[in-house]
Amino acid sequence: MTGPTPEGGNPSGQATVPVPASARTGPVSHAIFRVARLHRMIAGQLLRRVGLHRGQELVMMQLWDLGPQRQTDLVRLLDSDAATMTRTVQRLEAAGFVRRRPCPGDKRAVIVEPTAASHALRREVEQIWSELEDGVTGGLTADERATALRVLERLEANLARATAAAP
């Protein structure tokens, strides 16, 4: 991936944020925080090129793959909350990428569907995700990429179990 180093970024490959002494008992958690922060920052920069905010592309990806969806189903699919999804859909509608209509079977529900303008955007979003992937995994072998993905999936499963078990 080309472009400016994110603010606070370090082209040497070393951690960009020092690990505070109080976080040394959780080095993996601190590393996840740092990686997620940089990933969100770069994704936001890339998505701005096509007029999207971070996270909106995930809604569009679901709509492109699944077709029109009830807004409540988008909340579930993206593990979001209703208020955030409402704001996201309103912004996408204002940009001309989605259209909302009442659900024929449930007048309380809203159907969200992609517009023709959003279909033109799909290729650009796919290119951005490819660029983001190259930036994240650049320099890794195919085996290292596969290992990283397996480890991340396991970490996600651990966190999902911890969330489910939380009171």
Side-chain angles (χ1 to χ4, degrees):
M1 182 169 71
T2 60
T5 302
E7 187 173 298
N10 182 344
S12 71
Q14 299 299 312
T16 59
V17 176
V19 179
S22 55
R24 290 211 171 100
T25 58
V28 172
S29 294
H30 196 264
I32 289 170
F33 165 80
R34 293 188 323 265
V35 168
R37 178 184 62 83
L38 289 167
H39 191 272
R40 282 190 312 270
M41 184 186 316
I42 293 168
Q45 290 171 353
L46 294 172
L47 289 165
R48 270 193 295 278
R49 295 189 319 212
V50 296
L52 291 176
H53 294 281
R54 211 178 51 238
Q56 291 177 333
E57 84 282 15
L58 298 173
V59 172
M60 295 311 309
M61 288 174 179
Q62 292 297 334
L63 294 172
W64 291 326
D65 284 357
L66 303 173
Q69 296 292 304
R70 291 183 321 155
Q71 191 165 314
T72 55
D73 293 333
L74 289 171
V75 168
R76 181 185 47 77
L77 282 166
L78 294 166
D79 197 21
S80 182
D81 61 80
T84 299
M85 186 58 64
T86 296
R87 284 189 305 274
T88 299
V89 169
Q90 287 171 341
R91 289 177 182 144
L92 287 168
E93 185 176 39
F97 297 131
V98 301
R99 180 175 25 258
R100 290 184 294 171
R101 60 181 165 82
C103 179
D106 180 356
K107 295 300 178 194
R108 296 170 298 163
V110 173
I111 300 290
V112 181
E113 58 188 351
T115 63
S118 82
H119 289 293
L121 180 72
R122 182 176 184 159
R123 187 176 174 137
E124 293 178 80
V125 168
E126 289 171 349
Q127 177 58 42
I128 286 168
W129 269 70
S130 177
E131 195 173 331
L132 186 59
E133 186 78 0
D134 289 345
V136 169
T137 61
L140 297 180
T141 66
D143 285 345
E144 289 170 328
R145 287 177 188 215
T147 299
L149 184 57
R150 277 194 308 276
V151 170
L152 287 168
E153 288 169 344
R154 222 165 134 196
L155 293 173
E156 180 183 15
N158 290 345
L159 290 170
R161 274 193 301 280
T163 300

